[in-house]
Amino acid sequence: MKTENMKRIVFIAFVLFISTFTNKVYSQKAIILEKEYAKISLQSNPSGAKVYHNGKLICTSTPATVEIPYNGKILPGKKSKWNERKRRSEEASAITLTFVKDGYISSEETITPDITQVKKSEYDFEWPSTVIHELIPYQDSSDPTIPVGESKKRVSRENPGQTSLERTIVRWYFDSAPQGARIFWRVISSVPEEVKNTNELWLGSTPYEETRSFNIQGLTYENSRDVQIEIKVKRKGYMDQNKRFNVRQAIDQQEISSFFDLIKEDVEEEAE
């Protein structure tokens, strides 16, 4: 009996040793490359649009050629599955641009690079040389989705609760795998003279569900299309993820919700 117990103990110890050794040998962290610049020609239909990147104005009027800063990301994964790793790395390295023009709905264009592995730790990023964005004009001022007399009413501390926007209840729901991720949110505005950008504010942890109204200072139905809510989730051992939601769409749908499939920073990799 003692001999069998000893054999079992030795076997378990051996398995734990092999598992620990394997993790040390095969683990690899995501690679964050040094800052580079993508030279891209920006065009819009119609022309004359402003273009923002991460809330910063990079183009005062289209068409124009700009150099956009980016930090390439190479996500970890198995060597035998380079195509999948390449796709995920291209998505993680994507650049999102916001096109803004008076009389048109502010909208985004996401561009992704084509990544080629040149050497063991050297990667080439090829970006589209030209981006053409189609702008959608605003609907007529008689938009039936806007309550009568509310299109220009502005959320203000001087008259709290006096607008239809503040009385519109929106469902906020976020979940992640794994759960327990911290959630932060901030306002990103393409019209900072009317609605200011904000810093990140803690919202809660996943899974998260709440009903709340919009009390964003300076917000109106007219400028709500030019304002976005950015949701960011963070969890130790996983890469941060963020998504953006157009405020006008959230008002119309009365919901902001999403699911975040978190990606580990360390993933098993085959030995070189």
Side-chain angles (χ1 to χ4, degrees), residues 217-228:
Q217 299 301 304
L219 188 69
T220 67
Y221 267 97
E222 285 191 341
N223 66 27
S224 61
R225 293 185 176 91
D226 300 322
V227 181
Q228 297 180 82

Side-chain angles (χ1 to χ4, degrees), residues 214 216 219 224 227-229 245-252:
F214 277 117
I216 301 171
L219 188 69
S224 61
V227 181
Q228 297 180 82
I229 299 294
F245 303 85
N246 183 271
V247 169
R248 181 57 196 277
Q249 292 178 350
I251 293 170
D252 291 343

Side-chain angles (χ1 to χ4, degrees), residues 40-56:
I40 300 175
S41 174
L42 302 178
Q43 300 180 27
S44 66
N45 183 23
S47 60
K50 296 180 180 179
V51 183
Y52 293 81
H53 175 237
N54 288 339
K56 295 182 179 179

Side-chain angles (χ1 to χ4, degrees), residues 73-86:
K73 299 179 181 66
I74 304 299
L75 301 187
K78 294 184 178 180
K79 289 175 58 181
S80 60
K81 295 184 178 180
W82 163 247
N83 288 336
E84 179 184 344
R85 185 183 180 194
K86 166 184 164 74

